[in-house]
Amino acid sequence: MGLEKIWVFGEANGDAVATITLEMLAKAREIADTVEVFMAADGDDHAEELGDHGAETVYSTGDLDGAMQGVSVASAVAEAIDSGDVDAPEAFLLGTTQDGRDVAARLSVKLNSPVITNIVDLVVDGDDLLGSEPIFGGATDVMTKNTSDNPGIFLVRPKSFAAEPVGGAEADVEDLAVGDLGAAGAARVVATFAEESVGPKLDEANIVVSGGRGLGDSEAYSMIEDLAKAVGAAPGASRAIVDAGWVPYSYQVGQTGKVVKPTVYIACGISGATQHLVGMKGSKNIIAINKDSEAPIFAVADLGIVGDVHKVLPKLIEALSG
Amino acid sequence: MKVVVCVKQIPDPADPGALDPETNTLVRDQKLILDESDSYGVEMALQLVDTAGDGSVHLVSMAPDNQVTGLRTALAMGADSATLVSDEALKGSDALGTAKVLAAAIARSEPDLVLAATESSDGYTGTVPEMVAELLGLPSVTFAKAVAVDGGTAKVQRQTEAGYDDVECPLPAVVSVTAGVVEPRYPSFKGIMSAKSKPVDELGISDLGIDAGSVGWAGGSQEIVSVADAPTREAGEVIEDEGDAHERIVAFLDELKVL
C-alpha cells in the first residue's frame, strides 16, 4: 500500500538539481504511485534530471526575479489547488533548507495543515504517512502523522535517503503561476555572494575534519585546515566556533548546519553537544580528540583520544603529510 | 522605530529533556529560562532602536503558567515592555497554533519590525517566524546574519547554503536571526533592578479574540503515534594520549583504507 501522489519541493544549485531534492525523490518513488516536483526555477532546465530520478511532472514558477521563494511558491501552490488547476497531493516533502522551511511554513498557514519537522524517515501505515523524527540528540525516535483533512507537510533532513536515478523519461513541465502577493511579497534579493571553499565539499567529502571550542582560539583552526589538506578531507566546525566568528557558517556541522555522513569523521576539541551530534553521528567511523574524558563525543567515537589537540594534531599532521 | 521581539521561555537545556508519557509533549513544568537563541534577537532590536535614535523594544512570548523568568532576563537586557500569553487552552499547541497566538499578540503593537530567532533550542521546527509573517500578511527574511534599517527598509544578509544573499525588504516585516548575528549583552545590575518594574501585559486567548478550538490540543492536527529508544551507537576504544596517540589514529585510518 502506498500513497497516490506526493509533491517534492525542488531546489537547484545553478544547473544541477540539489542533492536533497534527489534524495526526497528516491523516497517518494518508493511510497507513492505518482511523484511530482514543484519549484521556483525554470522547469525546462531541470526536467531531464528530475525525470531521471522519477518525477513525472515539474510545476515551476519560472525565475522569481529576486522575490523570496517561501511566499511566492506557497502562494502559487495554494492558488493552483484552490482553483482546481491541479489535484492536491496527499503529502508535500520539502528539504530542511532555508527556502524549504520558508515554503513549508507559509504553505502550512495557507492550507491550515501542520508541518512535521526534522524528518529522517517516512513510513506508510495504512492510509497514513508517518514521519520519524529523532529527538534528545538522537536518543529517541518519534513517529508523527498529520490528522488534518489537508495534505501533510513534511520537512526532511538532508542525507536521510540515498539519491538514485531510475532512468525515467524527461518530466512534463507545467506552469505554476505566482499571483499578486501584495505587501507580503515585497522582499527582494539584490545581490548573491558565494563564500569560497577549497577542497571537497563538506556534505560530500569522504573524510571530514572538524574543530571546536577546544582549539582555544581562531588561529588554531589552521591545524584543522592542515590536517584536512593532508588527508583530502573537508574542514568543518561546531556551532560554537561559527558563532564566535572563527569560520563561516558554511563550515558548520550540526542541527543548524550541515548533516554529514562521511566514511571518517575526525572531531577535534569538540565536546559533542546534541546540536553537533545530530549532524555527524551517521558517519561510518568517528575519531574524537578531546581533553575531557567525560565529553559526550566519546560515547559515539570508534576511536577516542583523551588528549590535548595542540599536542596530538601537529604530530598527526606531520605523520600524514609528505 | 517600534520593534517586537518574539522570545521563547524554555526548560534549561542543561537539564535532560523528557516527554510526558501521556501526551508525548516536552515536559515544561519546571522553571523556564530565556532561550539563548532569542538573546540575539533582543540584542539586535536594542541596537537597531539605538541606531534609529528613538523607538522601543517590546517582547511577545507564549508560555504555560504565566512564567516570566525568561522575559525578565530580556527586560533586564534593556527591552521596554512585554506581552505574555498564557492559557490552559494553549497546552499542546504545535508550531501553527503558536504562530496564530504570537501573530495576534504582535498585531496589537503595530510594530515596524518583528524579530525572532531562526529556531528555538527545544522544539527547533524553524517554521514559526515565517508562519507569523504569513498570518500578518507581511514580507519576511529568514536566516539573517546581519540586519540594518535604512529609512523604511530592512537590509539583511541572509545565510544561504553557499554564502549569503543581500535582501532588501520594506517595513513592516518579519526577520528571523541566526545565533552570532550580534553579541548579546549581559544584563547589568541596574538593568536587572529596573526589569522588575517594567510592564508585562498578561493575556489569555480570549483577550486576543482566539477561539480555543483553533489552538492547543483542540486545534492541533498532528499526532505522535509512537515513541521509541533509538538504536545506540556503540562506543569504541578510548585511549589516553601518552605522546603517541597520533600513531594509533594513522593506523586506524590505514585499516579503513582511506589514505
Side-chain angles (χ1 to χ4, degrees), chain B residues 21 39 46 54 78 103 118 156 187 212 235:
Chain B
S39 61
L46 293 169
D54 79 314
T118 295
V156 177

Side-chain angles (χ1 to χ4, degrees), chain A residues 13 68 70-71 74 96-99 101-110 112-118 125 130 133-148 155 157 181 183-196 203 206-207 230-231 239 242-243 249-250 255-256 258 263-264 266 274-275 278 280-287 289 293 298-308 311-312 315-316 319-320, chain B residues 16-19 24 26-27 35-37 40 94-96 99-100 118-143 145 156-170 172 174 176 178-183 214 219-253 256-259:
Chain A
N13 305 314
M68 307 310 284
V71 65
T96 306
T97 61
Q98 282 85 348
D99 290 320
R101 293 214 243 197
D102 284 2
V103 174
R106 294 255 181 191
L107 203 53
S108 171
V109 174
K110 295 230 178 249
N112 197 25
S113 192
V115 186
I116 299 175
T117 53
N118 290 299
D125 178 26
L130 309 182
E133 175 193 3
I135 61 168
F136 302 144
T140 304
D141 288 331
V142 168
M143 300 281 267
T144 307
K145 71 173 179 183
N146 163 32
T147 58
S148 76
L155 274 172
R157 295 177 62 87
L181 303 172
R188 285 285 177 283
V189 177
V190 294
T192 292
F193 300 89
E195 269 144 8
E196 289 200 15
D203 48 2
N206 196 34
I207 307 176
V231 295
R239 174 171 154 179
V242 172
D243 286 354
Y249 167 76
S250 56
Q255 170 69 33
T256 42
K258 293 211 165 59
T263 306
V264 185
I266 308 177
T274 292
Q275 147 76 231
V278 168
M280 47 65 76
K281 63 186 265 183
S283 305
K284 288 189 193 73
N285 298 279
I286 296 170
I287 300 173
I289 309 167
S293 63
F298 288 125
V300 299
D302 299 285
L303 175 61
I305 308 293
V306 180
D308 184 349
K311 290 183 180 152
V312 178
K315 289 184 201 165
L316 183 61
L320 292 167
Chain B
L19 292 182
N24 285 327
L26 279 175
V27 173
D35 186 345
E36 193 206 345
S37 302
Y40 301 94
D94 60 7
L96 184 54
K100 287 175 185 169
T118 295
E119 62 181 13
S120 65
S121 305
D122 61 342
Y124 53 85
T125 72
T127 53
V128 171
E130 187 77 4
M131 288 173 175
V132 167
E134 178 67 24
L135 288 161
L136 294 173
L138 293 179
S140 55
V141 187
T142 53
F143 288 87
K145 63 174 205 151
V156 177
Q157 287 182 2
R158 180 182 189 242
Q159 239 161 40
T160 62
E161 290 295 307
Y164 67 92
D165 288 345
D166 275 340
V167 182
E168 293 189 0
C169 183
V174 176
S176 78
T178 60
V181 66
V182 280
E183 189 64 39
S214 69
S221 45
Q222 50 184 308
E223 180 191 332
I224 292 174
V225 294
S226 73
V227 176
D229 289 341
T232 52
R233 198 185 164 104
E234 300 240 336
E237 173 191 3
V238 178
I239 60 168
E240 289 270 350
D241 176 33
E242 307 282 355
D244 56 0
H246 60 286
E247 291 170 10
R248 181 69 195 89
I249 296 174
V250 174
F252 186 78
L253 293 173
L256 296 171
K257 301 193 196 317
V258 292
L259 294 178

Side-chain angles (χ1 to χ4, degrees), chain A:
Chain A
M1 279 293 288
L3 305 183
E4 277 177 32
K5 185 164 80 174
I6 285 182
W7 270 27
V8 171
F9 177 54
E11 296 187 71
N13 305 314
D15 293 338
V17 175
T19 306
I20 175 71
T21 303
L22 302 179
E23 290 167 0
M24 290 189 293
L25 282 174
K27 189 65 187 181
R29 282 195 320 259
E30 194 185 307
I31 56 179
D33 297 337
T34 304
V35 178
E36 299 177 337
V37 169
F38 63 114
M39 68 192 303
D42 189 341
D44 290 315
D45 293 347
H46 306 292
E48 194 178 327
E49 190 176 5
L50 291 169
D52 190 28
H53 284 261
E56 290 179 26
T57 307
V58 185
Y59 292 90
S60 65
T61 62
D63 183 34
L64 293 176
D65 196 26
M68 307 310 284
Q69 293 197 26
V71 65
S72 309
V73 175
S75 169
V77 168
E79 257 180 59
I81 292 173
D82 281 349
S83 67
D85 286 350
V86 299
D87 292 329
E90 285 149 285
F92 294 94
L93 308 185
L94 305 95
T96 306
T97 61
Q98 282 85 348
D99 290 320
R101 293 214 243 197
D102 284 2
V103 174
R106 294 255 181 191
L107 203 53
S108 171
V109 174
K110 295 230 178 249
L111 303 180
N112 197 25
S113 192
V115 186
I116 299 175
T117 53
N118 290 299
I119 295 309
V120 298
D121 198 10
L122 290 157
V123 178
V124 176
D125 178 26
D127 293 335
D128 294 320
L129 183 58
L130 309 182
S132 173
E133 175 193 3
I135 61 168
F136 302 144
T140 304
D141 288 331
V142 168
M143 300 281 267
T144 307
K145 71 173 179 183
N146 163 32
T147 58
S148 76
D149 296 332
N150 305 316
I153 303 169
F154 295 84
L155 274 172
V156 178
R157 295 177 62 87
K159 297 276 168 96
S160 297
F161 311 113
E164 201 187 349
V166 284
E170 184 170 330
D172 294 332
V173 178
E174 300 279 350
D175 279 343
L176 197 58
V178 181
D180 179 15
L181 303 172
R188 285 285 177 283
V189 177
V190 294
T192 292
F193 300 89
E195 269 144 8
E196 289 200 15
S197 62
V198 286
K201 285 174 72 178
L202 186 54
D203 48 2
E204 292 169 7
N206 196 34
I207 307 176
V208 172
V209 182
S210 283
R213 199 59 104 168
L215 290 169
D217 56 55
S218 63
E219 275 87 62
Y221 190 80
S222 64
M223 292 193 294
I224 300 299
E225 287 167 329
D226 291 345
L227 177 56
K229 207 168 160 190
V231 295
S238 71
R239 174 171 154 179
I241 71 167
V242 172
D243 286 354
W246 297 3
V247 292
Y249 167 76
S250 56
Y251 284 54
Q252 187 171 318
V253 173
Q255 170 69 33
T256 42
K258 293 211 165 59
V259 177
V260 301
K261 291 187 175 177
T263 306
V264 185
Y265 188 87
I266 308 177
C268 308
I270 292 177
S271 63
T274 292
Q275 147 76 231
H276 190 74
L277 294 181
V278 168
M280 47 65 76
K281 63 186 265 183
S283 305
K284 288 189 193 73
N285 298 279
I286 296 170
I287 300 173
I289 309 167
N290 201 295
K291 266 196 305 209
D292 176 10
S293 63
E294 302 291 314
I297 192 81
F298 288 125
V300 299
D302 299 285
L303 175 61
I305 308 293
V306 180
D308 184 349
V309 286
H310 298 93
K311 290 183 180 152
V312 178
L313 285 180
K315 289 184 201 165
L316 183 61
I317 293 161
E318 202 194 329
L320 292 167
S321 303

Side-chain angles (χ1 to χ4, degrees), chain B:
Chain B
M1 186 173 57
K2 209 180 216 177
V3 184
V4 164
V5 187
C6 300
V7 296
K8 188 170 183 183
Q9 304 177 87
I10 63 168
D12 190 334
D15 297 337
L19 292 182
D20 182 316
E22 278 183 21
T23 62
N24 285 327
T25 52
L26 279 175
V27 173
R28 297 179 202 274
D29 54 4
Q30 63 277 64
K31 189 164 151 186
L32 303 179
I33 63 170
L34 178 68
D35 186 345
E36 193 206 345
S37 302
D38 288 324
S39 61
Y40 301 94
V42 174
E43 178 65 38
M44 189 78 247
L46 293 169
Q47 291 187 15
L48 288 172
V49 167
D50 197 36
T51 306
D54 79 314
S56 61
V57 176
H58 182 72
L59 311 169
V60 169
S61 187
M62 167 177 142
D65 310 323
N66 295 83
Q67 296 222 36
V68 293
T69 308
L71 281 178
R72 292 287 175 206
T73 303
L75 290 168
M77 287 174 70
D80 299 289
S81 54
T83 298
L84 172 67
V85 187
S86 205
D87 201 306
E88 272 297 308
L90 293 173
K91 286 203 167 140
S93 289
D94 60 7
L96 184 54
T98 305
K100 287 175 185 169
V101 171
L102 294 177
I106 291 164
R108 290 160 63 104
S109 316
E110 299 184 356
D112 299 300
L113 177 65
V114 180
L115 293 177
T118 295
E119 62 181 13
S120 65
S121 305
D122 61 342
Y124 53 85
T125 72
T127 53
V128 171
E130 187 77 4
M131 288 173 175
V132 167
E134 178 67 24
L135 288 161
L136 294 173
L138 293 179
S140 55
V141 187
T142 53
F143 288 87
K145 63 174 205 151
V147 185
V149 171
D150 183 4
T153 304
K155 297 191 168 179
V156 177
Q157 287 182 2
R158 180 182 189 242
Q159 239 161 40
T160 62
E161 290 295 307
Y164 67 92
D165 288 345
D166 275 340
V167 182
E168 293 189 0
C169 183
L171 301 179
V174 176
V175 174
S176 78
V177 300
T178 60
V181 66
V182 280
E183 189 64 39
R185 70 193 68 184
Y186 287 105
S188 64
F189 179 71
K190 198 175 146 217
I192 293 167
M193 294 312 289
S194 67
K196 292 177 180 168
S197 57
K198 285 179 177 173
V200 177
D201 194 13
E202 296 187 15
L203 304 177
I205 57 168
S206 58
D207 300 309
L208 295 171
I210 290 175
D211 173 36
S214 69
V215 292
W217 291 117
S221 45
Q222 50 184 308
E223 180 191 332
I224 292 174
V225 294
S226 73
V227 176
D229 289 341
T232 52
R233 198 185 164 104
E234 300 240 336
E237 173 191 3
V238 178
I239 60 168
E240 289 270 350
D241 176 33
E242 307 282 355
D244 56 0
H246 60 286
E247 291 170 10
R248 181 69 195 89
I249 296 174
V250 174
F252 186 78
L253 293 173
D254 263 338
E255 285 165 36
L256 296 171
K257 301 193 196 317
V258 292
L259 294 178

